[in-house]
Amino acid sequence: NYSPLLKEQEKKITDDLCRLIGFSSEDAFGHITTSHTLACYEILWALRNLKTLPMAIARHPKSRDLVADKKAFELFNMSVTDILAISEQLNERGIFDDVSHLTCRGTGMTKTMHLGKLLVPVSRFEFWKKAMDILGLGYDNLIALPIDETFKTDIEKTRSIVFRLIEQGEPILGVIGILGAPSYGCVDKLKPLFELRKECEEKYNNSFYIHIDASQFGYMKSLFLDDNYDLIPYQILCKKLKKEAPLLELTPEIYESITQLSLADSVSFEPFQAGFSPYPTGVVCIKDARISRFLTNPPRLCPEQADDAPKIDGIQSAPAVASMWSVHQLYPFTSSGYGKYAQIQWETRVKLEQFFNQATAFEKEGEHYYIRVLSASDFNKLNFAIVRKGNKDLETQNDLNKTIYENLVIKSHHKQDLSLLTLCARNSDNAPAQFCSECDFDNNEWETIKHLNLLQLTIKSTETCDEQQIEAGYQYIKNVVLSALDNK
């Protein structure tokens, strides 16, 4: 349990984020966890419990009449909305806890509980693989969604995978969308994903759960809301950006992805990454609060507790919640609040990327080096490689960038700004091949080595940077690299 003040602060934080997404404050539910990882695990935990409920209803003598008209395949493929509607009837009959015991919560994952496949972008495959392991769902039930040449999830290939699974009679546990890939910093095309689900419902009478991992860019939606928390129309927002930050180009695809977040079943945030919180935390927001029943611990010990609000274990320390609450008090999630700082970070990244692309090579002990930017980011992450002129060997190139990162002179300071990003066939398919070609490596270098080391700079500036400051930022990075090369 935690203090009433902590509970009040958590409610304020989650209400703010639900409003940012576009969820109804009356129907939605939010919870703060100790990390974004646990926030995602909670979603899969709830989804696993929820999807085994129809089979449990069919087994219980006092509820089986509710699904008597459904075959086994239909039980596996019931929509979230339909399952929640039937769970209401279980409550009305006073048997929800008894039926819940017949789900995997009580019986464990039995042979009859085949929940189908979880579809995850390849960039987050390893992250969700661990979750499938912990929750007993199995690696084999995880499908990696390929990415295209822009490092975004390939929606056409995703569409083919979904249709193939449905036609083969394979249930779909859920689909994960990414709003700001932690590795590349790009925003997936989410509108086609929501349209795909609608098409499946109409064509196959088959639906699936959609969770959006918005750990990196979820807060960016503030830039799209006016002071009344209403969406700013695309054309008006473009005019605003052209006036305030001419270098920024907002594509319709990014606008649609961010503004249609409310169509997701749940969204997770990482305040430590983008919310100015100094503590590692995670937040999960669920559109329908009834799903929280599948995260609480049934049955209640005392009858008089039956009407209490659901409580979920795992709340983190009071300082973490208090820091988030303070940020929410200071910065409303609107274009004039947090959105202003989101715009500054985005603009700073674009300016710095342009400067990197125009910068000349620099020399160290007779060798010439230049910076090559991976142009995949849609917000505040700048991915780049230090390339030695004349080198044609990708393995040597990778060793160079890894050594630069490991040999930073003041590691405790520089590593707050720079991180090492490794792209490989397991998390990026063959998308890095084009970048390797731009760095003058032969095509067979990527086919042979199959991994690429980059340096990643995350922009967290809250003040607009002029040309002089951008040049100073470049010189800072250059000096960091040169100092690291001293120890090479």
Side-chain angles (χ1 to χ4, degrees), residues 40-80:
C40 292
Y41 287 4
E42 277 193 359
I43 287 299
L44 193 54
W45 174 27
L47 187 54
R48 181 200 67 171
N49 296 343
L50 177 73
K51 294 285 278 186
T52 56
L53 185 66
M55 287 78 83
I57 293 172
R59 291 175 58 193
H60 197 283
K62 294 184 179 179
S63 62
R64 59 175 57 135
D65 62 291
L66 296 174
V67 293
D69 61 333
K70 297 185 182 297
K71 299 178 181 179
F73 175 76
E74 293 175 300
L75 293 177
F76 287 124
N77 288 281
M78 286 181 66
S79 69
V80 172

Side-chain angles (χ1 to χ4, degrees), residues 1-3 5-7 9-10 13 31-35 38 277-282 313-325:
N1 293 330
Y2 44 97
S3 71
L5 178 59
L6 202 60
K7 183 177 179 181
Q9 290 176 334
E10 181 184 27
I13 293 165
H31 180 229
I32 299 176
T33 67
T34 51
S35 70
L38 289 180
S277 173
Y279 298 91
T281 49
D313 298 332
I315 193 70
Q316 68 294 312
S317 65
V321 177
S323 70
M324 291 173 62
W325 178 84

Side-chain angles (χ1 to χ4, degrees), residues 12 14-23 25 221 225 229:
K12 162 67 175 172
T14 55
D15 281 353
D16 285 348
L17 290 176
C18 284
R19 179 168 60 175
L20 174 65
I21 296 167
F23 289 168
S25 59
K221 190 180 177 182
L225 301 178
Y229 294 90

Side-chain angles (χ1 to χ4, degrees), residues 368-387:
H368 289 81
Y369 302 87
Y370 61 93
I371 298 176
R372 179 72 70 182
V373 176
L374 174 67
S375 298
S377 177
D378 289 319
F379 185 36
N380 67 340
K381 288 187 178 295
L382 182 60
N383 306 311
F384 61 96
I386 306 300
V387 180

Side-chain angles (χ1 to χ4, degrees), residues 232-242 250 252 255:
I232 302 173
Y234 175 69
Q235 295 296 339
I236 295 177
L237 183 56
C238 286
K239 289 180 181 178
K240 177 178 180 293
L241 290 175
K242 187 174 182 179
L250 178 62
Y255 180 85

Side-chain angles (χ1 to χ4, degrees), residues 393-408:
D393 183 69
L394 181 55
E395 192 165 6
T396 301
Q397 160 72 18
N398 286 334
D399 289 342
L400 170 66
N401 283 271
K402 185 178 180 181
T403 302
I404 288 172
Y405 175 70
E406 292 176 345
N407 289 348
L408 296 181

Side-chain angles (χ1 to χ4, degrees), residues 394-449:
L394 181 55
E395 192 165 6
T396 301
Q397 160 72 18
N398 286 334
D399 289 342
L400 170 66
N401 283 271
K402 185 178 180 181
T403 302
I404 288 172
Y405 175 70
E406 292 176 345
N407 289 348
L408 296 181
V409 174
I410 313 174
K411 292 185 178 181
S412 62
H413 174 63
H414 290 319
K415 283 194 176 181
Q416 293 177 12
D417 304 318
L418 286 171
S419 58
L420 184 68
L421 174 63
T422 300
L423 305 183
C424 62
R426 289 174 63 88
N427 65 19
S428 306
D429 290 331
N430 286 315
Q434 177 60 34
F435 180 78
C436 291
S437 176
E438 293 171 2
C439 294
D440 297 326
F441 298 115
D442 294 333
N443 291 335
N444 62 346
E445 282 296 297
W446 167 255
E447 294 299 326
T448 303
I449 306 300

